Amino acid sequence: MLILFLRERLAWIGFFVFIIVMINVLFSLDVGLVGISILYINISMLISFMIFLFWRYVVEVGRLKNFLGNVENQFDDVHSKNLVLSPFQMAYFTKIEDVLYGKNTELNQAKVQLQEYSDELLAWVHEVKAPLTAVNLMLDRVEDLTLRRKLETEWLRLHLLVDQQLHQTRLASIEKDNYMMEIELRTVVYKEIRAMQAWCIEKGIGFDVEELTDTVTTDAKWLAFIIRQILSNAIKYSPENSEVLLFTEVDATGATLLHIKDAGIGIRKEDLPRIFYKSYTGTAGRESAQSTGMGLYLAHNVAQKIGVRITVQSSVGEGSIFTLRFPLQNEYVKLTGR
């Protein structure tokens, strides 16, 4: 702070040095001043200037700390007696206040527009789900089994995109829309596998699922969304007639781990640190028009909100293993505040 203060006052210091030099020159040229001690004059002026600088440092830094200590209320204090300002400082603060007021107005308008857009988008998603449900019911009337399977697969992809958009819209208010409870992993996993049955049949992909009798504390709806995104990626990038393996284990800390292993194309080493970035599709995404880069991004964000940690192990050509680590009891207490 002191160094910054001195840098801001370089003009003062420069002017003081100039005065000292001028006085010394006058003392050396004027014979009438020969009997006066120039050293005494220099020391006196130097000490006086240092005292002046120290006094200004204490006063100005004290005001600055007082202002920054309660910055939210300081602009109200500008018009009261709580904050003493010079006319010059008042002019600065008034201008800053006008600028901040304009920016806050614009920010509030943007927030309102964003909320309206979010509400409209949420309403649109709900409207779209109704015809999607109707189409799904009509698919049962298609007699050609091959055609029905293809239509069901395309319907599932469309349904997953709409579902992804729905959860993306709700993500901002996830704290108000979660309910932590003890659930059995098997219930959530089996439901998501059944939902993707048509897509799996088309590609000939099977699931090797262990008993999954483990019980974890989490939000069932948001956990289902996370598993849905990982499973859809596993199906999308796995070769035909392959298997996706799901199993659990307990780590050294006692936390439950859910592993989802596929035999897909894998993820390049340089892509691994960024697969959870928004809209990042990586090398594989550039080879597939289906990639949006949003699934894992949303899954990772949701996982952080509900205390689940996602890790990935992968090698090109050897598939990937996504691991979900569920919070322990003490971590759950920190997460919910209960």
Side-chain angles (χ1 to χ4, degrees), residues 102-269:
K103 295 299 181 182
N104 284 335
T105 302
E106 293 179 5
L107 180 60
N108 290 332
Q109 291 175 349
K111 286 181 177 179
V112 171
Q113 292 176 356
L114 181 61
Q115 185 60 48
E116 290 177 351
Y117 170 76
S118 178
D119 293 341
E120 292 172 0
L121 185 59
L122 195 59
W124 177 85
V125 171
H126 281 291
E127 290 293 329
V128 170
K129 290 180 72 175
L132 276 177
T133 303
V135 170
N136 189 34
L137 294 174
M138 288 187 287
L139 288 177
D140 293 334
R141 301 180 183 178
V142 178
E143 296 181 357
D144 188 332
L145 185 59
T146 303
L147 177 60
R148 188 201 304 175
R149 292 301 185 192
K150 289 182 179 179
L151 290 174
E152 286 176 343
T153 300
E154 296 307 318
W155 176 90
L156 177 60
R157 290 173 179 169
L158 181 59
H159 171 72
L160 289 175
L161 289 174
V162 173
D163 179 74
Q164 188 180 93
Q165 183 60 63
L166 174 64
H167 284 81
Q168 182 179 356
T169 307
R170 289 177 171 174
L171 184 60
S173 58
I174 186 174
E175 290 83 0
K176 303 176 183 178
D177 185 33
N178 63 45
Y179 181 69
M180 298 292 183
M181 59 182 296
E182 289 191 356
I183 61 170
E184 196 173 39
L185 283 175
R186 176 172 52 187
T187 305
V188 177
V189 171
Y190 281 9
K191 182 180 179 181
E192 295 306 314
I193 291 176
R194 283 195 297 269
M196 298 189 182
Q197 183 177 1
W199 195 2
C200 295
I201 292 175
E202 183 191 26
K203 294 192 66 173
I205 293 178
F207 287 90
D208 184 0
V209 186
E210 290 189 354
E211 293 183 359
L212 302 182
T213 56
D214 305 75
T215 300
V216 297
T217 302
T218 187
D219 182 284
K221 183 182 70 174
W222 287 106
L223 175 61
F225 175 76
I226 296 172
I227 294 175
R228 193 177 311 141
Q229 302 309 309
I230 297 175
L231 288 181
S232 65
N233 270 12
I235 298 170
K236 184 188 304 181
Y237 295 113
S238 291
E240 295 183 358
N241 303 316
S242 60
E243 279 192 342
V244 177
L245 176 63
L246 290 92
F247 61 98
T248 59
E249 67 172 329
V250 178
D251 66 8
T253 64
T256 300
L257 307 178
L258 172 63
H259 302 287
I260 303 175
K261 180 179 180 181
D262 63 65
I265 59 177
I267 305 171
R268 293 179 182 271
K269 185 177 180 180

Side-chain angles (χ1 to χ4, degrees), residues 22 26 74 84 168 213 275:
M22 289 294 297
L26 289 175
Q74 288 300 329
V84 180
Q168 182 179 356
T213 56
I275 61 173

Side-chain angles (χ1 to χ4, degrees), residues 51-117:
I51 293 174
F52 171 76
L53 276 181
F54 178 74
W55 169 67
R56 292 309 305 169
Y57 173 78
V58 171
V59 171
E60 295 185 24
V61 172
R63 285 182 180 177
L64 180 61
K65 288 182 177 180
N66 181 48
F67 175 77
L68 295 178
N70 193 17
V71 68
E72 293 181 356
N73 300 324
Q74 288 300 329
F75 287 100
D76 294 332
D77 292 339
V78 169
H79 304 290
S80 68
K81 297 181 180 179
N82 297 332
L83 188 63
V84 180
L85 298 175
S86 67
F88 187 71
Q89 292 172 327
M90 178 66 76
Y92 262 108
F93 273 84
T94 302
K95 183 61 178 177
I96 293 173
E97 187 180 25
D98 292 340
V99 172
L100 286 180
Y101 179 80
K103 295 299 181 182
N104 284 335
T105 302
E106 293 179 5
L107 180 60
N108 290 332
Q109 291 175 349
K111 286 181 177 179
V112 171
Q113 292 176 356
L114 181 61
Q115 185 60 48
E116 290 177 351
Y117 170 76

